[in-house]
Amino acid sequence: MKVRSLKLREAHKSINGNNDNNPSFCSVLWDQQAHHLVTASSSDPSISIHDPLIPSNPPKILRHHRDGVTALALSPNSTCLASGSIDHSVKLYKFPSGEFETNVTRFTLPIRALAFNKSGSMVAAAGDDEGIKLINTIDGSIARVLKGHKGPVTGLAFDPINEYLATVDSVGTVLFWELQSGGILHTLKSVAPNNISDTSFMNVVSWSPDGETLAVPGLRNDVVMYDRDTAEKLFSLRGDHVQPVCYLSWSPNGKYMATSGLDRQILIWDVDKKQDIDRQKFEDRISGMAWKPIGNVLAVIDVMGKYGLWELVVPSSMKSPTEDIPSLKNSNGVLLFDEEDPEPSTSGGLSEFAEDILCESEPSCRKRLRKQSESEDPDEDIDDELNLLPKTETRKKVHRASKDNLDKGNGLRNTLKMQEAFQPGATPPQRGKRRFLCYNMLGTITTVENDGYSHIEIDFHDTGRGPRLPSMTDYFGFTMASLNENGSVFANPCKGEKNMSTLMYRPFSSWANNSEWSMRFEGEEVKVVALGNAWIAAITSLNFLRIYTDGGLQRHIISLDGPVATASGFKNQLAVVTHVSDCLPSIDQMLEFRVFDISSGTQPLTGRLPLTPGSHLIWFGFSEEGQLSSYDSKGVLRVFTSQYGGSWLPVFSASKEKKSDESYWVVGLNASKLFCISYKSPDKFPQVIPKPVLSLLNLSFPVASSDLGADALENEFILNSMHLSQIQKRMEDMAGACLDTTALDDEAFNMEATQDRCILRLIASCCNGDKLVRATELMKLLSLEKSMKGAIKLVTALKLPNLAERFNTILEERLVNESKGTHKSPLLSFNGRASLTADDAAISKMMVTSNGKNEEPESSIGFSSPTLSAPLFIKKENKQEHEKSDQNQTTNAKTSMEPSYAEKVKSAENVFRVGEVKMTGQVLKVQSQRLSYPFLKSSNNQETTKKDLDQLASLRPSNPFKKAPN
């Protein structure tokens, strides 16, 4: 037989430059479609994904481990890649993108072996600490830990029918495990080589594609085949290997096998004939092999990290290795990380998993004598299995019917019930799966139940905002939680013989030991919890609002008007939503909200909570800026503002954003973005594993289609008006607390400048659409004089002389009102640091008539309410001092000389001159003095007004379209 040579290409190098010649255990895998080749080495912390069609292309490198990668496994549908390392961790990645998903588990010693089951719903991991972990890939929970080996476990293999797991250790012991019970069926001691002293050589086991035979390296430089059920030796493959076999791989159809030995050669076997049909010699020992799923190719990798492709492994005169691949009934598997899969094969628990796979596998495999001996009546068991599906459906129907009867109660349908209390940011419990107790803008709290208790983990999105916290063992069965920068609070429903509910608070840091505390409620169940600055709140089934200090002092107990729906906290504010009454016949929930200020003991806000007809509340909380917000099941997000005496504004509608099968799960929001997680039908909420990705969506009012075609600009205009109103409210609050509003001055000025730019674009749209009345209304809403001048230039350039004339008149009236102090500056700060005048007026201000009385402007659009602007609060002056100041100005005016023409021009320039605006970084600082208007008051009000207008008319910008008088 001719020995051929195969050229190998370097894929991995040792991380220690001085040990490049030391052998390492290297791995190689094909994906299902043979589009990618994955390699790894125990001396290299990186994983390489190669393009086998173009080997010269650089591979995609995954660098997530801190030490060498000792094991690889790819799910059957090639959507998930698992890796184990000397750093004791097991990681999952999306494939073929290589995007890191999660760390599913950690061991105390290095990992040596990984394997997916046939459906891809479970991965087995093992290593030097002798235990085998069965991990649910859907949620990352550990279904079971198998213990029975007395040495490092180096090989794992699920049988293709998902009934058994075969394992081998470094001392040569092979164990057969039954997945349903987790027990050991067969133990084969010292049947494989003892390689405990060489980590570059690891014993492996491999099931034949039909699942009937297990192949194990033997003690006589051979491969021994064992029966799947009896573990009896069937036959062995013994040929020209002169040293022990260190790796073996079945062909896709199970007719051939490739074996690699310590003698640095690979043999290709015809399994049925029990003879080798080809071989190849290599410079270094081959530690990994993988048959190409499509084609007659074998991928190999040696202990030095060099890989290659052996073409035409099987002679062309023989049956192809991919021909007549055996089909198994349970071969479709689960699409990992695919949200469109409506029915995963497992919910995460091992018992359910075993029941599912047994129901699928029993009809396809022959009945074993062992199984028959365990059942007194095999025929009855068969009948039960055949009737399993109909019985399951019957139980579901009975359950639904009984539930409907309970829901009817006093003649009410289920849809007319009041919605149950819910914790914002929490997902419903799922048996065997990790779920969110809390997901907010700060971080997450997750839990998973295991053997009667739960494991709780707290993670911060930004690790700088919170400490790194160890996982917590939960013996209470907490079902709700809340999280902020200072600590976390947990609660559970009534449990145990005494029917008690528990509330527990855990601060993240404290100067005192044992700062954690808990409260117990007998016959009273906690429904919702919330956190704030130095307070903790719990609302119970007795409609009690219980408020505690962060030290555990029971501070207040308040009776609420109705059952609680939800609650949320932000700094000193606690917002509670309660039911006003039962649902209306239209299925609408009747809810009201209350905002409590815990620090002052007041209730500043209360009112009805609006919802979209036919919907219910699914999220409630505060924005990053402290704005109260709600989100209903129809996908409408509302924000509470102080406009019109307190109103809810719809700032987002999912129906205009999402796809038909897509929904949004709200996490939080800020002034301009909604933070949410998108999920697809039929899911009702996001899963913890894989880690959900936050989507950022722009806030957008549900504006009607405008006749201008400027919907985006009109939406921006309304949003800016809302933000100005919010700034106004914050400044009022700060003013009431005698706090400095300097920072808000700059924020308001920036927002007004942004609003002016938006208004100018709207004016341009109105001019193009011949909506000149609307353009005039917008002109009156401009804040800055420079913006008003820009509007005049704009309409002049568009050759609209009548509109330019009107704009000039509006500017003149604005300047006159400013000179008399009747047009209040929107950005007058308390500390006198900056005061803006004519060109910095608010969006909508009261206009002044000739007799000095305030009136609404004749033309104003619906958004020009004074509450939409951001008026800053001018210090109240002493009335007598103000009158005295007016008298002094009048006296000075009478004694002043009549100005010359040059002085008039200079005076006019002063009218349009405002303090310099300097940009420092990204902060606008406005420095100006109070504008001294040249047209001074006289004792006769009417004469003065006429004189002022005449003088200003002589100085205003000339209209280029106005005809010269004859």
Side-chain angles (χ1 to χ4, degrees), residues 795-819:
V795 297
T796 301
L798 294 175
K799 298 181 180 180
L800 298 171
N802 292 334
L803 190 59
E805 185 70 22
R806 285 185 174 274
F807 279 15
N808 272 316
T809 302
I810 294 172
L811 176 58
E812 291 166 5
E813 292 176 351
R814 176 75 61 85
L815 295 175
V816 170
N817 293 334
E818 284 292 332
S819 69

Short mmCIF file of all heavy atoms in Angstrom, two decimals, residues 795-819:
data_model
loop_
_atom_site.label_atom_id
_atom_site.label_comp_id
_atom_site.label_asym_id
_atom_site.label_seq_id
_atom_site.Cartn_x
_atom_site.Cartn_y
_atom_site.Cartn_z
N VAL A 795 -37.37 84.31 3.90
CA VAL A 795 -38.56 84.61 3.09
C VAL A 795 -38.24 85.67 2.03
O VAL A 795 -38.85 85.72 0.97
CB VAL A 795 -39.72 85.07 3.98
CG1 VAL A 795 -40.13 83.93 4.92
CG2 VAL A 795 -39.38 86.31 4.79
N THR A 796 -37.23 86.53 2.34
CA THR A 796 -36.80 87.50 1.33
C THR A 796 -36.17 86.79 0.14
O THR A 796 -36.44 87.11 -1.02
CB THR A 796 -35.80 88.49 1.94
OG1 THR A 796 -36.42 89.17 3.03
CG2 THR A 796 -35.36 89.51 0.90
N ALA A 797 -35.34 85.79 0.45
CA ALA A 797 -34.71 85.03 -0.64
C ALA A 797 -35.74 84.24 -1.43
O ALA A 797 -35.54 83.99 -2.63
CB ALA A 797 -33.66 84.09 -0.06
N LEU A 798 -36.83 83.86 -0.79
CA LEU A 798 -37.88 83.11 -1.48
C LEU A 798 -38.85 84.03 -2.21
O LEU A 798 -39.86 83.56 -2.76
CB LEU A 798 -38.64 82.24 -0.47
CG LEU A 798 -37.86 81.10 0.17
CD1 LEU A 798 -38.69 80.39 1.23
CD2 LEU A 798 -37.40 80.11 -0.88
N LYS A 799 -38.57 85.34 -2.17
CA LYS A 799 -39.36 86.34 -2.89
C LYS A 799 -40.81 86.37 -2.43
O LYS A 799 -41.76 86.22 -3.21
CB LYS A 799 -39.28 86.10 -4.40
CG LYS A 799 -37.87 86.21 -4.96
CD LYS A 799 -37.83 86.00 -6.46
CE LYS A 799 -36.39 86.12 -6.99
NZ LYS A 799 -36.34 85.92 -8.45
N LEU A 800 -40.94 86.51 -1.10
CA LEU A 800 -42.27 86.63 -0.48
C LEU A 800 -42.31 87.96 0.27
O LEU A 800 -42.13 88.02 1.48
CB LEU A 800 -42.53 85.45 0.47
CG LEU A 800 -42.54 84.05 -0.17
CD1 LEU A 800 -42.58 82.97 0.90
CD2 LEU A 800 -43.74 83.93 -1.11
N PRO A 801 -42.52 89.08 -0.45
CA PRO A 801 -42.40 90.41 0.17
C PRO A 801 -43.45 90.64 1.26
O PRO A 801 -43.15 91.23 2.29
CB PRO A 801 -42.57 91.37 -1.00
CG PRO A 801 -43.31 90.57 -2.05
CD PRO A 801 -42.85 89.16 -1.89
N ASN A 802 -44.67 90.20 1.06
CA ASN A 802 -45.69 90.41 2.08
C ASN A 802 -45.35 89.68 3.37
O ASN A 802 -45.52 90.20 4.48
CB ASN A 802 -47.06 89.95 1.57
CG ASN A 802 -47.58 90.83 0.46
OD1 ASN A 802 -47.22 92.01 0.36
ND2 ASN A 802 -48.42 90.26 -0.41
N LEU A 803 -44.84 88.47 3.23
CA LEU A 803 -44.45 87.70 4.42
C LEU A 803 -43.25 88.33 5.10
O LEU A 803 -43.16 88.39 6.33
CB LEU A 803 -44.15 86.25 4.03
CG LEU A 803 -43.97 85.28 5.19
CD1 LEU A 803 -45.22 85.23 6.06
CD2 LEU A 803 -43.62 83.89 4.67
N ALA A 804 -42.30 88.84 4.31
CA ALA A 804 -41.15 89.51 4.89
C ALA A 804 -41.58 90.74 5.67
O ALA A 804 -41.04 91.03 6.75
CB ALA A 804 -40.15 89.88 3.79
N GLU A 805 -42.57 91.46 5.17
CA GLU A 805 -43.09 92.64 5.86
C GLU A 805 -43.71 92.24 7.20
O GLU A 805 -43.50 92.90 8.22
CB GLU A 805 -44.12 93.34 4.97
CG GLU A 805 -44.64 94.66 5.53
CD GLU A 805 -43.59 95.76 5.50
OE1 GLU A 805 -42.63 95.65 4.70
OE2 GLU A 805 -43.72 96.71 6.28
N ARG A 806 -44.46 91.17 7.19
CA ARG A 806 -45.08 90.71 8.43
C ARG A 806 -44.02 90.24 9.43
O ARG A 806 -44.12 90.49 10.63
CB ARG A 806 -46.05 89.55 8.14
CG ARG A 806 -47.35 90.01 7.51
CD ARG A 806 -48.32 88.86 7.34
NE ARG A 806 -49.61 89.33 6.86
CZ ARG A 806 -50.59 89.77 7.63
NH1 ARG A 806 -50.42 89.81 8.95
NH2 ARG A 806 -51.73 90.19 7.13
N PHE A 807 -43.01 89.57 8.92
CA PHE A 807 -41.94 89.12 9.82
C PHE A 807 -41.23 90.31 10.44
O PHE A 807 -40.86 90.30 11.62
CB PHE A 807 -40.95 88.24 9.06
CG PHE A 807 -41.40 86.82 8.88
CD1 PHE A 807 -42.72 86.46 9.10
CD2 PHE A 807 -40.51 85.83 8.46
CE1 PHE A 807 -43.16 85.15 8.93
CE2 PHE A 807 -40.93 84.52 8.30
CZ PHE A 807 -42.25 84.18 8.52
N ASN A 808 -41.00 91.38 9.65
CA ASN A 808 -40.37 92.59 10.18
C ASN A 808 -41.23 93.20 11.29
O ASN A 808 -40.72 93.65 12.33
CB ASN A 808 -40.16 93.61 9.06
CG ASN A 808 -38.83 93.40 8.34
OD1 ASN A 808 -37.81 93.19 8.99
ND2 ASN A 808 -38.85 93.43 7.03
N THR A 809 -42.53 93.21 11.07
CA THR A 809 -43.44 93.77 12.08
C THR A 809 -43.38 92.96 13.37
O THR A 809 -43.37 93.53 14.47
CB THR A 809 -44.87 93.79 11.53
OG1 THR A 809 -44.91 94.56 10.33
CG2 THR A 809 -45.83 94.40 12.55
N ILE A 810 -43.35 91.63 13.25
CA ILE A 810 -43.26 90.78 14.44
C ILE A 810 -41.98 91.06 15.20
O ILE A 810 -41.97 91.15 16.44
CB ILE A 810 -43.35 89.31 14.03
CG1 ILE A 810 -44.74 89.00 13.46
CG2 ILE A 810 -43.06 88.39 15.21
CD1 ILE A 810 -44.86 87.61 12.84
N LEU A 811 -40.87 91.24 14.48
CA LEU A 811 -39.60 91.53 15.13
C LEU A 811 -39.67 92.88 15.84
O LEU A 811 -39.18 93.02 16.97
CB LEU A 811 -38.47 91.50 14.10
CG LEU A 811 -37.07 91.88 14.62
CD1 LEU A 811 -36.64 90.95 15.76
CD2 LEU A 811 -36.05 91.83 13.49
N GLU A 812 -40.26 93.88 15.19
CA GLU A 812 -40.35 95.20 15.81
C GLU A 812 -41.17 95.15 17.10
O GLU A 812 -40.76 95.71 18.13
CB GLU A 812 -40.99 96.18 14.82
CG GLU A 812 -40.11 96.50 13.62
CD GLU A 812 -40.90 97.20 12.52
OE1 GLU A 812 -42.09 97.50 12.76
OE2 GLU A 812 -40.33 97.42 11.45
N GLU A 813 -42.31 94.48 17.05
CA GLU A 813 -43.12 94.37 18.25
C GLU A 813 -42.37 93.64 19.36
O GLU A 813 -42.48 94.01 20.54
CB GLU A 813 -44.42 93.63 17.92
CG GLU A 813 -45.35 94.42 17.01
CD GLU A 813 -46.58 93.62 16.62
OE1 GLU A 813 -46.61 92.40 16.93
OE2 GLU A 813 -47.50 94.20 16.02
N ARG A 814 -41.61 92.64 18.99
CA ARG A 814 -40.81 91.93 19.99
C ARG A 814 -39.82 92.86 20.65
O ARG A 814 -39.64 92.84 21.88
CB ARG A 814 -40.09 90.75 19.32
CG ARG A 814 -39.16 89.96 20.22
CD ARG A 814 -39.91 89.06 21.19
NE ARG A 814 -40.71 88.08 20.48
CZ ARG A 814 -40.22 86.91 20.04
NH1 ARG A 814 -38.97 86.60 20.26
NH2 ARG A 814 -41.01 86.07 19.41
N LEU A 815 -39.15 93.70 19.85
CA LEU A 815 -38.13 94.61 20.40
C LEU A 815 -38.77 95.67 21.30
O LEU A 815 -38.21 96.03 22.34
CB LEU A 815 -37.35 95.25 19.27
CG LEU A 815 -36.49 94.29 18.41
CD1 LEU A 815 -35.86 95.03 17.25
CD2 LEU A 815 -35.43 93.64 19.27
N VAL A 816 -39.93 96.18 20.88
CA VAL A 816 -40.61 97.18 21.70
C VAL A 816 -41.00 96.58 23.05
O VAL A 816 -40.81 97.19 24.10
CB VAL A 816 -41.84 97.73 20.96
CG1 VAL A 816 -42.70 98.58 21.89
CG2 VAL A 816 -41.41 98.55 19.75
N ASN A 817 -41.54 95.39 23.00
CA ASN A 817 -41.95 94.74 24.25
C ASN A 817 -40.74 94.47 25.15
O ASN A 817 -40.83 94.58 26.37
CB ASN A 817 -42.67 93.44 23.95
CG ASN A 817 -44.00 93.67 23.27
OD1 ASN A 817 -44.61 94.73 23.43
ND2 ASN A 817 -44.44 92.70 22.46
N GLU A 818 -39.62 94.13 24.53
CA GLU A 818 -38.41 93.92 25.31
C GLU A 818 -37.95 95.20 25.98
O GLU A 818 -37.51 95.19 27.12
CB GLU A 818 -37.29 93.36 24.42
CG GLU A 818 -37.42 91.90 24.06
CD GLU A 818 -37.21 91.02 25.28
OE1 GLU A 818 -36.49 91.42 26.20
OE2 GLU A 818 -37.80 89.92 25.31
N SER A 819 -38.06 96.28 25.26
CA SER A 819 -37.59 97.55 25.82
C SER A 819 -38.40 97.96 27.04
O SER A 819 -37.91 98.63 27.94
CB SER A 819 -37.67 98.65 24.76
OG SER A 819 -39.04 98.95 24.48
#
